[in-house]
Amino acid sequence: MMKRENELYGRASVPAYPEEEQHALIDALPQFVWIIRPDGSVAYANKRWRNYSNLLSNYSRTQEGFQAGHHDGSLNIQGRSRTLSSIGSSSEKETWLQNLHPEDKERILALESQAFATGDSYEFEYRLREEGSGAYCWFLSRGIPLRNETGEIALWVRTCTNIDEQKRTEESLIQSQERVNSLMNSSLIGIFIAEGNEIVDANATFLRMAGYTQEDLYQRDVRWATMTRPPVSSFSQQAYQEVVAHHCTTPFETELVRKDGSHLPVLMGGVAFHDQTLQGVGFVLDNSARQELEQRKDAFLGMASHELKTPLASLKLQTQLLRKKLRKQDLPNVDVVCVRMETQLNAIIRLVDELLDLSRIQAGKLEYAHEMVDLNEMLKEVVDILQHMQTAHTIVVHHATSPVFVVGDRDRLAQVVLNVLSNAIKYAPDAPLIDVALNTEAEAVTISVHDQGIGISRELHGKIFERFYRAVPLQQRAFPGLGMGLYIVAEIVKHHGGTIQVESESGKGSTFHITFPLAA
């Protein structure tokens, strides 16, 4: 570049057109421009620099006195004495040096000295105070020597361009790249880049999880279709469709099929970019330790529930026998005390039953009968039993006019209705009316349970059916429970091919809609 500029200006003479036109042209430029004489003095500085210099002078007056002689120096170029700086007059030079970033001064003065010594074009960057705020910003300085017919330097043309925005953009890109590199080098998160079905890049953590090597990656032997179970799971297919539609997917649990055929439980998410082929970035976390912990917890719950079942059954039998014997003695308040004992005992038994059901669901061992069930009749029986136990609330039922049959397990379906009704009563202590409706359509039947209780915030609607989740904070002891009931209900409903939905707002009550397909 410098050689080409020297060739361009090597035999150029000082322009012949009038100085007024030269100055008008230079003044129109947005950069700082100086015409420098061979002795280093300024022949002309454009208006942009003069305005800027005046502003910089205001900043320099607030600084300590500047010893110009400390920065002065001279070079003998072609037998002439010239100052190191081509800024020009002493005052302008002092202003420039005082407002130059301290870390850049030594480097810039050295580069100037070298340029004057060699007579070559130059280009370098430095930081100078900004005219408005006084903060430092980046400038790009260029100098080109203009030579006469004998090859001597007749003039120097120097320009200075503000590149602060470009510089900050470059720094941001560098920082972003460093963050990306840090993320890619993570030993916790597996990251891969895919184009269509092919994984084109991945960090070491992902390759370790999947059991592949960098050589497999280079040879394009790592394909997404072979890494999902089996070979493309419905969950993975659903996530893929979500990525295509929304450019991202919520994290989901799945299993990664490793190169040796073994399976690794993982938590996965990703984002996608649409082009000729679908490109995406996937994030993978090893989920095996968490899944093992969940399995151990489920095993413990199952074992504990099973061990508690027998002594509780014996305790309930002994309580009933005790009640009969005490009745014969005609003691006061025997029935009241025994009823309270049985109520608390039944609550414990129900809790243990739910824990046992929970462990069976997690193990895939919850058994179901398949029979014709009249929902109309079953609903009436459950409501009658619950109404007898809960006298503080009134349950109003709108039955169907004729039998409504579904195929399923009668006891499990009764468990669903009982659980939802019990929740309606528990979370509506000051609203004694519970409304139940049975509505049939062409191919489905819906049981709707409405209460006027505390309600559920909209953002929690999707979470209340999760295991151990409670919409009510644990601090509110007025509503006891472990958050298992609705999870079990949702699993039973799903097994019967149905759906359960909630309509609710905080403080405005709740309505649960449970829908089942009608029997053919």
Side-chain angles (χ1 to χ4, degrees), residues 56 59 63 99 128-137:
L56 290 182
Y59 290 113
Q63 300 173 356
N99 290 280
L128 197 64
R129 287 190 186 275
E130 193 176 19
E131 52 195 298
S133 64
Y136 288 103
C137 55

Side-chain angles (χ1 to χ4, degrees), residues 338-355:
C338 289
V339 165
R340 289 175 181 173
M341 290 175 58
E342 288 188 7
T343 299
Q344 296 301 320
L345 191 56
N346 288 333
I348 297 174
I349 292 173
R350 181 181 175 187
L351 181 61
V352 171
D353 286 340
E354 286 184 345
L355 285 171

